Amino acid sequence: MGAPRGDSSTGLHRWHVAGGIIEVEGRVLLVENLRRNGTTDWSPPGGVVESGEESVDGLTREVLEETGLVVDSWHGPIYTVETVAIDMGWHLSVKVFRALSWNGDVAVGEDPDGIVTDARFLDHSGCEEKMAGNGLWVREPLLSWMGERWPDHRAFRYLLEGTNRSAMTVTRQ
């Protein structure tokens, strides 16, 4: 995952991330991510889009690195997420695309960042269970999409207040 980009006008570190929804028979691929503090969480594959890289190009690269799958075609973004955490000094912008065609077999262990430790295709309840500890800004948009399968773009915006994850306030705007 790439480094955040600073924003001199706000002082916030900015991350531009692309995420991918890859489906098989109504089940969505999630990857388990090992975080710096030793905890893990689950999310759709994807990652930081490098400077000068288009979102789908960065996403295609990240999916290949994390899962071994080669995505030939994407649709979207089907949803975007903007999360601002002023107290923690960051701003996250995410574009999520749905894979239209892909090939290969899931192969974990090739991630050059060493973050992805597992990958599984899960139904709605399996995704809900694996993502229970994730931030609302990660969990809510994906689970909403899985429940509705809307065809057009939707935008989600969140404001995080506080500096301690266990005590922070998350407001959907």
Side-chain angles (χ1 to χ4, degrees), residues 67-115:
T67 69
L69 299 177
V70 177
V71 178
D72 304 309
S73 178
W74 295 101
H75 171 72
I78 57 173
Y79 64 85
T80 54
V81 180
E82 183 176 356
T83 306
V84 178
I86 293 172
D87 298 334
M88 291 186 282
W90 56 263
H91 177 245
L92 174 69
S93 296
V94 182
K95 292 180 181 178
V96 178
F97 298 82
R98 186 173 60 84
L100 296 177
S101 67
W102 53 275
N103 60 71
D105 295 317
V106 175
V108 174
E110 302 300 320
D111 178 16
D113 299 321
I115 295 171

Side-chain angles (χ1 to χ4, degrees), residues 1-17 36 48 82-94:
M1 189 151 97
R5 299 179 191 121
D7 181 342
S8 59
S9 66
T10 64
L12 298 177
H13 290 288
R14 293 183 159 282
W15 280 276
H16 299 285
V17 173
R36 289 184 185 136
V48 173
E82 183 176 356
T83 306
V84 178
I86 293 172
D87 298 334
M88 291 186 282
W90 56 263
H91 177 245
L92 174 69
S93 296
V94 182

